[in-house]
PDB file of all heavy atoms in Angstrom:
ATOM      1  N   GLU E  81     158.189 164.378 214.043  1.00  0.00           N
ATOM      2  CA  GLU E  81     158.433 163.128 214.766  1.00  0.00           C
ATOM      3  C   GLU E  81     158.614 163.315 216.268  1.00  0.00           C
ATOM      4  O   GLU E  81     158.772 162.341 216.991  1.00  0.00           O
ATOM      5  CB  GLU E  81     159.669 162.421 214.187  1.00  0.00           C
ATOM      6  CG  GLU E  81     160.970 163.198 214.290  1.00  0.00           C
ATOM      7  CD  GLU E  81     161.240 164.043 213.048  1.00  0.00           C
ATOM      8  OE1 GLU E  81     160.286 164.461 212.368  1.00  0.00           O
ATOM      9  OE2 GLU E  81     162.448 164.253 212.756  1.00  0.00           O
ATOM     10  N   ASP E  82     158.603 164.551 216.747  1.00  0.00           N
ATOM     11  CA  ASP E  82     158.814 164.821 218.173  1.00  0.00           C
ATOM     12  C   ASP E  82     157.520 164.763 218.986  1.00  0.00           C
ATOM     13  O   ASP E  82     157.555 164.831 220.212  1.00  0.00           O
ATOM     14  CB  ASP E  82     159.459 166.185 218.375  1.00  0.00           C
ATOM     15  CG  ASP E  82     160.829 166.300 217.721  1.00  0.00           C
ATOM     16  OD1 ASP E  82     161.469 165.247 217.490  1.00  0.00           O
ATOM     17  OD2 ASP E  82     161.254 167.435 217.440  1.00  0.00           O
ATOM     18  N   PHE E  83     156.388 164.669 218.304  1.00  0.00           N
ATOM     19  CA  PHE E  83     155.122 164.635 219.040  1.00  0.00           C
ATOM     20  C   PHE E  83     154.977 163.234 219.643  1.00  0.00           C
ATOM     21  O   PHE E  83     154.879 162.236 218.932  1.00  0.00           O
ATOM     22  CB  PHE E  83     153.967 165.015 218.129  1.00  0.00           C
ATOM     23  CG  PHE E  83     154.045 166.480 217.741  1.00  0.00           C
ATOM     24  CD1 PHE E  83     154.689 166.862 216.577  1.00  0.00           C
ATOM     25  CD2 PHE E  83     153.499 167.453 218.556  1.00  0.00           C
ATOM     26  CE1 PHE E  83     154.810 168.213 216.242  1.00  0.00           C
ATOM     27  CE2 PHE E  83     153.609 168.794 218.228  1.00  0.00           C
ATOM     28  CZ  PHE E  83     154.256 169.174 217.065  1.00  0.00           C
ATOM     29  N   ALA E  84     154.990 163.217 220.964  1.00  0.00           N
ATOM     30  CA  ALA E  84     155.112 161.959 221.718  1.00  0.00           C
ATOM     31  C   ALA E  84     154.894 162.243 223.196  1.00  0.00           C
ATOM     32  O   ALA E  84     154.590 163.391 223.565  1.00  0.00           O
ATOM     33  CB  ALA E  84     156.494 161.367 221.498  1.00  0.00           C
ATOM     34  N   VAL E  85     155.063 161.227 224.012  1.00  0.00           N
ATOM     35  CA  VAL E  85     155.026 161.406 225.465  1.00  0.00           C
ATOM     36  C   VAL E  85     156.459 161.360 226.007  1.00  0.00           C
ATOM     37  O   VAL E  85     157.259 160.535 225.546  1.00  0.00           O
ATOM     38  CB  VAL E  85     154.181 160.297 226.143  1.00  0.00           C
ATOM     39  CG1 VAL E  85     154.157 160.512 227.662  1.00  0.00           C
ATOM     40  CG2 VAL E  85     152.744 160.332 225.596  1.00  0.00           C
ATOM     41  N   TYR E  86     156.745 162.243 226.912  1.00  0.00           N
ATOM     42  CA  TYR E  86     158.086 162.350 227.500  1.00  0.00           C
ATOM     43  C   TYR E  86     158.022 162.072 228.993  1.00  0.00           C
ATOM     44  O   TYR E  86     157.151 162.607 229.701  1.00  0.00           O
ATOM     45  CB  TYR E  86     158.657 163.754 227.235  1.00  0.00           C
ATOM     46  CG  TYR E  86     158.914 163.985 225.756  1.00  0.00           C
ATOM     47  CD1 TYR E  86     157.889 164.395 224.911  1.00  0.00           C
ATOM     48  CD2 TYR E  86     160.174 163.746 225.218  1.00  0.00           C
ATOM     49  CE1 TYR E  86     158.112 164.567 223.560  1.00  0.00           C
ATOM     50  CE2 TYR E  86     160.404 163.915 223.852  1.00  0.00           C
ATOM     51  CZ  TYR E  86     159.370 164.334 223.038  1.00  0.00           C
ATOM     52  OH  TYR E  86     159.596 164.493 221.696  1.00  0.00           O
ATOM     53  N   TYR E  87     158.943 161.224 229.445  1.00  0.00           N
ATOM     54  CA  TYR E  87     159.014 160.862 230.861  1.00  0.00           C
ATOM     55  C   TYR E  87     160.361 161.264 231.427  1.00  0.00           C
ATOM     56  O   TYR E  87     161.408 161.092 230.764  1.00  0.00           O
ATOM     57  CB  TYR E  87     158.857 159.349 231.044  1.00  0.00           C
ATOM     58  CG  TYR E  87     157.494 158.806 230.673  1.00  0.00           C
ATOM     59  CD1 TYR E  87     157.273 158.259 229.415  1.00  0.00           C
ATOM     60  CD2 TYR E  87     156.458 158.812 231.591  1.00  0.00           C
ATOM     61  CE1 TYR E  87     156.028 157.738 229.080  1.00  0.00           C
ATOM     62  CE2 TYR E  87     155.211 158.303 231.266  1.00  0.00           C
ATOM     63  CZ  TYR E  87     155.010 157.766 230.002  1.00  0.00           C
ATOM     64  OH  TYR E  87     153.778 157.256 229.668  1.00  0.00           O
ATOM     65  N   CYS E  88     160.353 161.751 232.642  1.00  0.00           N
ATOM     66  CA  CYS E  88     161.613 161.919 233.374  1.00  0.00           C
ATOM     67  C   CYS E  88     161.765 160.736 234.338  1.00  0.00           C
ATOM     68  O   CYS E  88     160.791 160.053 234.681  1.00  0.00           O
ATOM     69  CB  CYS E  88     161.656 163.256 234.115  1.00  0.00           C
ATOM     70  SG  CYS E  88     160.336 163.545 235.340  1.00  0.00           S
ATOM     71  N   GLN E  89     162.997 160.478 234.728  1.00  0.00           N
ATOM     72  CA  GLN E  89     163.315 159.345 235.603  1.00  0.00           C
ATOM     73  C   GLN E  89     164.543 159.701 236.441  1.00  0.00           C
ATOM     74  O   GLN E  89     165.499 160.241 235.916  1.00  0.00           O
ATOM     75  CB  GLN E  89     163.589 158.088 234.783  1.00  0.00           C
ATOM     76  CG  GLN E  89     163.983 156.862 235.601  1.00  0.00           C
ATOM     77  CD  GLN E  89     165.301 156.272 235.195  1.00  0.00           C
ATOM     78  OE1 GLN E  89     165.637 156.202 234.006  1.00  0.00           O
ATOM     79  NE2 GLN E  89     166.079 155.841 236.171  1.00  0.00           N
ATOM     80  N   GLN E  90     164.498 159.356 237.725  1.00  0.00           N
ATOM     81  CA  GLN E  90     165.659 159.651 238.583  1.00  0.00           C
ATOM     82  C   GLN E  90     166.450 158.395 238.869  1.00  0.00           C
ATOM     83  O   GLN E  90     165.890 157.298 238.963  1.00  0.00           O
ATOM     84  CB  GLN E  90     165.175 160.312 239.895  1.00  0.00           C
ATOM     85  CG  GLN E  90     164.321 159.467 240.800  1.00  0.00           C
ATOM     86  CD  GLN E  90     165.070 158.483 241.684  1.00  0.00           C
ATOM     87  OE1 GLN E  90     166.253 158.665 241.940  1.00  0.00           O
ATOM     88  NE2 GLN E  90     164.389 157.441 242.147  1.00  0.00           N
ATOM     89  N   ARG E  91     167.746 158.576 239.011  1.00  0.00           N
ATOM     90  CA  ARG E  91     168.629 157.477 239.394  1.00  0.00           C
ATOM     91  C   ARG E  91     169.426 157.833 240.646  1.00  0.00           C
ATOM     92  O   ARG E  91     170.425 157.175 240.948  1.00  0.00           O
ATOM     93  CB  ARG E  91     169.561 157.077 238.258  1.00  0.00           C
ATOM     94  CG  ARG E  91     170.689 158.065 237.999  1.00  0.00           C
ATOM     95  CD  ARG E  91     171.650 157.500 236.964  1.00  0.00           C
ATOM     96  NE  ARG E  91     172.847 158.286 236.791  1.00  0.00           N
ATOM     97  CZ  ARG E  91     174.040 157.977 237.308  1.00  0.00           C
ATOM     98  NH1 ARG E  91     174.173 156.913 238.056  1.00  0.00           N
ATOM     99  NH2 ARG E  91     175.094 158.734 237.069  1.00  0.00           N
ATOM    100  N   ASN E  92     168.994 158.855 241.364  1.00  0.00           N
ATOM    101  CA  ASN E  92     169.703 159.210 242.597  1.00  0.00           C
ATOM    102  C   ASN E  92     169.648 158.053 243.577  1.00  0.00           C
ATOM    103  O   ASN E  92     170.608 157.748 244.263  1.00  0.00           O
ATOM    104  CB  ASN E  92     169.073 160.454 243.202  1.00  0.00           C
ATOM    105  CG  ASN E  92     169.835 160.959 244.417  1.00  0.00           C
ATOM    106  OD1 ASN E  92     170.996 161.335 244.289  1.00  0.00           O
ATOM    107  ND2 ASN E  92     169.206 160.934 245.573  1.00  0.00           N
ATOM    108  N   ASN E  93     168.470 157.417 243.653  1.00  0.00           N
ATOM    109  CA  ASN E  93     168.329 156.196 244.432  1.00  0.00           C
ATOM    110  C   ASN E  93     168.163 155.043 243.460  1.00  0.00           C
ATOM    111  O   ASN E  93     167.066 154.713 243.056  1.00  0.00           O
ATOM    112  CB  ASN E  93     167.104 156.285 245.354  1.00  0.00           C
ATOM    113  CG  ASN E  93     166.851 154.974 246.086  1.00  0.00           C
ATOM    114  OD1 ASN E  93     167.708 154.103 246.149  1.00  0.00           O
ATOM    115  ND2 ASN E  93     165.654 154.827 246.617  1.00  0.00           N
ATOM    116  N   TRP E  94     169.299 154.432 243.062  1.00  0.00           N
ATOM    117  CA  TRP E  94     169.198 153.453 241.994  1.00  0.00           C
ATOM    118  C   TRP E  94     168.705 152.092 242.491  1.00  0.00           C
ATOM    119  O   TRP E  94     168.509 151.186 241.707  1.00  0.00           O
ATOM    120  CB  TRP E  94     170.515 153.293 241.252  1.00  0.00           C
ATOM    121  CG  TRP E  94     171.712 153.198 242.097  1.00  0.00           C
ATOM    122  CD1 TRP E  94     172.577 154.235 242.413  1.00  0.00           C
ATOM    123  CD2 TRP E  94     172.236 152.056 242.770  1.00  0.00           C
ATOM    124  NE1 TRP E  94     173.580 153.786 243.230  1.00  0.00           N
ATOM    125  CE2 TRP E  94     173.395 152.452 243.474  1.00  0.00           C
ATOM    126  CE3 TRP E  94     171.813 150.724 242.858  1.00  0.00           C
ATOM    127  CZ2 TRP E  94     174.145 151.564 244.234  1.00  0.00           C
ATOM    128  CZ3 TRP E  94     172.557 149.847 243.610  1.00  0.00           C
ATOM    129  CH2 TRP E  94     173.711 150.277 244.288  1.00  0.00           C
ATOM    130  N   ARG E  95     168.439 151.999 243.824  1.00  0.00           N
ATOM    131  CA  ARG E  95     167.783 150.791 244.310  1.00  0.00           C
ATOM    132  C   ARG E  95     166.271 150.939 244.272  1.00  0.00           C
ATOM    133  O   ARG E  95     165.530 150.027 244.602  1.00  0.00           O
ATOM    134  CB  ARG E  95     168.234 150.515 245.734  1.00  0.00           C
ATOM    135  CG  ARG E  95     169.695 150.156 245.868  1.00  0.00           C
ATOM    136  CD  ARG E  95     170.104 150.016 247.321  1.00  0.00           C
ATOM    137  NE  ARG E  95     171.504 149.628 247.491  1.00  0.00           N
ATOM    138  CZ  ARG E  95     172.521 150.483 247.510  1.00  0.00           C
ATOM    139  NH1 ARG E  95     172.272 151.780 247.355  1.00  0.00           N
ATOM    140  NH2 ARG E  95     173.762 150.068 247.655  1.00  0.00           N
ATOM    141  N   GLY E  96     165.832 152.152 243.909  1.00  0.00           N
ATOM    142  CA  GLY E  96     164.397 152.416 243.835  1.00  0.00           C
ATOM    143  C   GLY E  96     164.158 153.499 242.796  1.00  0.00           C
ATOM    144  O   GLY E  96     163.825 154.633 243.131  1.00  0.00           O
ATOM    145  N   LEU E  97     164.328 153.130 241.540  1.00  0.00           N
ATOM    146  CA  LEU E  97     164.165 154.105 240.460  1.00  0.00           C
ATOM    147  C   LEU E  97     162.700 154.519 240.326  1.00  0.00           C
ATOM    148  O   LEU E  97     161.803 153.716 240.564  1.00  0.00           O
ATOM    149  CB  LEU E  97     164.630 153.490 239.139  1.00  0.00           C
ATOM    150  CG  LEU E  97     166.066 152.946 239.105  1.00  0.00           C
ATOM    151  CD1 LEU E  97     166.332 152.304 237.758  1.00  0.00           C
ATOM    152  CD2 LEU E  97     167.063 154.051 239.392  1.00  0.00           C
ATOM    153  N   THR E  98     162.486 155.763 239.958  1.00  0.00           N
ATOM    154  CA  THR E  98     161.117 156.237 239.764  1.00  0.00           C
ATOM    155  C   THR E  98     161.025 157.082 238.502  1.00  0.00           C
ATOM    156  O   THR E  98     161.999 157.741 238.112  1.00  0.00           O
ATOM    157  CB  THR E  98     160.618 157.045 240.959  1.00  0.00           C
ATOM    158  OG1 THR E  98     161.555 158.065 241.291  1.00  0.00           O
ATOM    159  CG2 THR E  98     160.385 156.166 242.179  1.00  0.00           C
ATOM    160  N   PHE E  99     159.850 157.063 237.911  1.00  0.00           N
ATOM    161  CA  PHE E  99     159.540 157.854 236.726  1.00  0.00           C
ATOM    162  C   PHE E  99     158.486 158.893 237.082  1.00  0.00           C
ATOM    163  O   PHE E  99     157.669 158.716 238.001  1.00  0.00           O
ATOM    164  CB  PHE E  99     158.925 156.978 235.623  1.00  0.00           C
ATOM    165  CG  PHE E  99     159.896 156.031 234.978  1.00  0.00           C
ATOM    166  CD1 PHE E  99     160.118 154.761 235.507  1.00  0.00           C
ATOM    167  CD2 PHE E  99     160.580 156.390 233.828  1.00  0.00           C
ATOM    168  CE1 PHE E  99     160.992 153.873 234.905  1.00  0.00           C
ATOM    169  CE2 PHE E  99     161.452 155.502 233.212  1.00  0.00           C
ATOM    170  CZ  PHE E  99     161.669 154.253 233.748  1.00  0.00           C
ATOM    171  N   GLY E 100     158.498 159.982 236.310  1.00  0.00           N
ATOM    172  CA  GLY E 100     157.428 160.945 236.388  1.00  0.00           C
ATOM    173  C   GLY E 100     156.215 160.439 235.638  1.00  0.00           C
ATOM    174  O   GLY E 100     156.255 159.399 234.968  1.00  0.00           O
ATOM    175  N   GLY E 101     155.119 161.165 235.765  1.00  0.00           N
ATOM    176  CA  GLY E 101     153.858 160.735 235.153  1.00  0.00           C
ATOM    177  C   GLY E 101     153.743 160.992 233.664  1.00  0.00           C
ATOM    178  O   GLY E 101     152.817 160.491 233.014  1.00  0.00           O
ATOM    179  N   GLY E 102     154.678 161.759 233.109  1.00  0.00           N
ATOM    180  CA  GLY E 102     154.705 161.991 231.680  1.00  0.00           C
ATOM    181  C   GLY E 102     154.100 163.302 231.233  1.00  0.00           C
ATOM    182  O   GLY E 102     153.195 163.830 231.897  1.00  0.00           O
ATOM    183  N   THR E 103     154.621 163.836 230.136  1.00  0.00           N
ATOM    184  CA  THR E 103     154.054 165.009 229.455  1.00  0.00           C
ATOM    185  C   THR E 103     153.824 164.616 228.008  1.00  0.00           C
ATOM    186  O   THR E 103     154.740 164.153 227.337  1.00  0.00           O
ATOM    187  CB  THR E 103     154.995 166.225 229.517  1.00  0.00           C
ATOM    188  OG1 THR E 103     155.064 166.714 230.842  1.00  0.00           O
ATOM    189  CG2 THR E 103     154.492 167.327 228.571  1.00  0.00           C
ATOM    190  N   LYS E 104     152.588 164.797 227.559  1.00  0.00           N
ATOM    191  CA  LYS E 104     152.264 164.521 226.158  1.00  0.00           C
ATOM    192  C   LYS E 104     152.422 165.796 225.350  1.00  0.00           C
ATOM    193  O   LYS E 104     151.818 166.836 225.665  1.00  0.00           O
ATOM    194  CB  LYS E 104     150.840 163.995 226.030  1.00  0.00           C
ATOM    195  CG  LYS E 104     150.458 163.662 224.592  1.00  0.00           C
ATOM    196  CD  LYS E 104     149.032 163.156 224.515  1.00  0.00           C
ATOM    197  CE  LYS E 104     148.650 162.777 223.094  1.00  0.00           C
ATOM    198  NZ  LYS E 104     147.259 162.264 223.011  1.00  0.00           N
ATOM    199  N   VAL E 105     153.261 165.737 224.326  1.00  0.00           N
ATOM    200  CA  VAL E 105     153.416 166.872 223.408  1.00  0.00           C
ATOM    201  C   VAL E 105     152.579 166.544 222.172  1.00  0.00           C
ATOM    202  O   VAL E 105     152.881 165.579 221.456  1.00  0.00           O
ATOM    203  CB  VAL E 105     154.893 167.095 223.042  1.00  0.00           C
ATOM    204  CG1 VAL E 105     155.031 168.248 222.061  1.00  0.00           C
ATOM    205  CG2 VAL E 105     155.701 167.370 224.306  1.00  0.00           C
TER     206      VAL E 105
END
Side-chain angles (χ1 to χ4, degrees):
Chain E
E81 62 267 29
D82 299 337
F83 291 92
V85 180
Y86 293 83
Y87 294 95
C88 59
Q89 178 237 320
Q90 65 81 22
R91 73 174 188 102
N92 185 63
N93 174 16
W94 45 262
R95 294 175 179 85
L97 304 177
T98 51
F99 289 88
T103 290
K104 182 180 181 179
V105 178

